[in-house]
Amino acid sequence: MNADPSLLRTGARRRGGAGPLTRAPPHRSNAAVLRVSSAQSAPQVVLVCRVMTSFRLALIQLQISSIKSDNVTRACSFIREAATQGAKIVSLPECFNSPYGTKYFPEYAEKIPGESTQKLSEVAKECSIYLIGGSIPEEDAGKLYNTCAVFGPDGTLLAKYRKIHLFDIDVPGKITFQESKTLSPGDSFSTFDTPYCRVGLGICYDMRFAELAQIYAQRGCQLLVYPGAFNLTTGPAHWELLQRSRAVDNQVYVATASPARDDKASYVAWGHSTVVNPWGEVLAKAGTEEAIVYSDIDLKKLAEIRQQIPVFRQKRSDLYAVEMKKP
């Protein structure tokens, strides 16, 4: 399914000149207002509770170079652009400041907080947005992790997620990759709250593990975000399939932010950053080039789907369960 062209900005700031630009349509927030009157006769007190039921999400499909500072600077530029188009939650791709590869992780690794995440904190505060910082190679206590840092509108670090399922695969004649040669796995879940919904985090290969998404749904998440870099073998076969599966299984929105494709890189990313709704429909999808993908997330739609097909109430907890063994 092709993305609505009004929700896609392609060719952003490519070397050699700017590409075509289609402005995202103005976002109109649907806010439910609940008025509660006090029991006292006079004067009457009215409490107004504003619940945001829609918001704009932006995924930045960044072209990654070998120059870390350039990657970070350009990422911040795209973040600013997304904010001007009304995005309230913005996500960068996996390894946004570094080429993807086991030989690069030690060279590009840094502490959190550190150089790259400090810039993300500053731009999140500048734009007053929730910023999912894709992932970077993180160094901590002599170990390396593939880590996503999330910053709030005031620039504070809201969450830090270390990829828990490392990408170790061997498809004969096509691709062999072993993240565990240099990276260590994380050992905890990570969610964060916004005025719109609770968001659950995974990174790339994590999307293959249905249990992680189920745990997040149990914890009240309505949006799952997976910065990821599938490749030319797994991408066409499973990238969209897995997103739609996680969305339908858990009746949540699923978003994936990929790097743009670079055919000259040692690891070629699939691209096609995508947003899927709880019905399994693709709302927005990039091609392979550098782009910003926009999608307006409608939480009323999510509630309607859960009411129409009430799988959460119909689960047979007397027969089976997916449980969280540690926080």
Side-chain angles (χ1 to χ4, degrees):
M1 180 176 180
N2 294 326
D4 180 344
S6 68
L7 296 181
L8 180 63
R9 189 252 204 243
T10 61
R13 301 185 189 278
R14 291 197 301 268
R15 297 183 188 276
L21 170 63
T22 301
R23 290 293 179 188
H27 174 66
R28 295 177 176 83
S29 174
N30 295 319
V33 181
L34 175 64
R35 300 185 183 276
V36 182
S37 298
S38 71
Q40 298 179 0
S41 56
Q44 186 182 50
V45 178
V46 178
L47 303 178
V48 179
C49 177
R50 186 170 293 272
V51 181
M52 308 300 291
T53 60
S54 71
F55 63 94
R56 174 157 291 174
L57 172 69
L59 310 176
I60 297 174
Q61 186 163 290
L62 187 70
Q63 190 77 61
I64 310 300
S65 76
S66 61
I67 304 172
K68 181 193 285 189
S69 60
D70 184 50
N71 293 329
V72 174
T73 297
R74 293 174 61 256
C76 290
S77 177
F78 281 115
I79 291 165
R80 292 185 182 97
E81 180 177 335
T84 65
Q85 296 300 309
K88 301 301 181 185
I89 300 179
V90 178
S91 180
L92 292 170
E94 181 179 22
C95 282
F96 85 91
N97 72 345
S98 161
Y100 183 80
T102 54
K103 68 179 181 180
Y104 299 110
F105 297 149
E107 177 185 353
Y108 286 78
E110 56 185 74
K111 299 282 189 180
I112 297 179
E115 175 188 356
S116 297
T117 52
Q118 178 60 34
K119 294 294 185 182
L120 297 187
S121 170
E122 291 170 1
V123 75
K125 183 176 182 179
E126 174 190 334
C127 298
S128 191
I129 58 167
Y130 290 88
L131 177 57
I132 300 168
S135 77
I136 66 169
E138 178 201 11
E139 190 279 322
D140 184 37
K143 291 185 177 182
L144 301 181
Y145 302 91
N146 190 344
T147 303
C148 174
V150 179
F151 297 91
D154 61 355
T156 59
L157 179 65
L158 297 181
K160 188 172 79 168
Y161 173 78
R162 291 170 170 167
K163 187 176 187 177
I164 64 177
H165 302 100
L166 295 184
F167 181 52
D168 288 2
I169 70 166
D170 182 13
V171 182
K174 294 186 176 180
I175 183 171
T176 298
F177 200 94
Q178 195 171 3
E179 273 190 326
S180 62
K181 283 184 177 180
T182 53
L183 299 180
S184 296
D187 61 2
S188 61
F189 305 95
S190 187
T191 66
F192 66 97
D193 291 321
T194 74
Y196 321 105
C197 66
R198 178 168 294 171
V199 181
L201 300 172
I203 298 175
C204 199
Y205 198 57
D206 287 329
M207 188 163 56
R208 290 187 178 273
F209 298 86
E211 297 85 353
L212 176 61
Q214 291 174 45
I215 291 294
Y216 282 147
Q218 290 174 10
R219 295 178 67 170
C221 294
Q222 295 177 301
L223 169 64
L224 306 183
V225 179
Y226 297 91
F230 275 37
N231 52 72
L232 300 190
T233 297
T234 61
H238 302 145
W239 177 249
E240 184 179 308
L241 174 65
L242 287 168
Q243 295 172 65
R244 296 179 70 186
S245 297
R246 299 293 84 82
V248 172
D249 285 349
N250 301 286
Q251 297 180 326
V252 296
Y253 285 89
V254 172
T256 54
S258 170
R261 188 179 301 179
D262 180 358
D263 291 319
K264 297 179 181 179
S266 57
Y267 180 95
V268 182
W270 175 238
H272 298 293
S273 300
T274 306
V275 182
V276 179
N277 73 9
W279 196 254
E281 298 169 322
V282 175
L283 300 183
K285 185 176 183 179
T288 62
E289 295 184 341
E290 193 166 67
I292 301 177
V293 178
Y294 298 94
S295 183
D296 293 332
I297 304 301
D298 183 359
L299 299 176
K300 290 193 298 182
K301 175 73 171 179
L302 181 148
E304 290 169 1
I305 291 171
R306 290 185 175 185
Q307 183 177 22
Q308 293 164 1
I309 306 178
V311 293
F312 291 105
R313 297 201 306 267
Q314 296 168 336
K315 288 184 182 293
R316 290 293 303 275
S317 58
D318 58 321
L319 297 178
Y320 54 79
V322 174
E323 64 176 357
M324 180 174 57
K325 292 190 174 182
K326 60 181 301 184

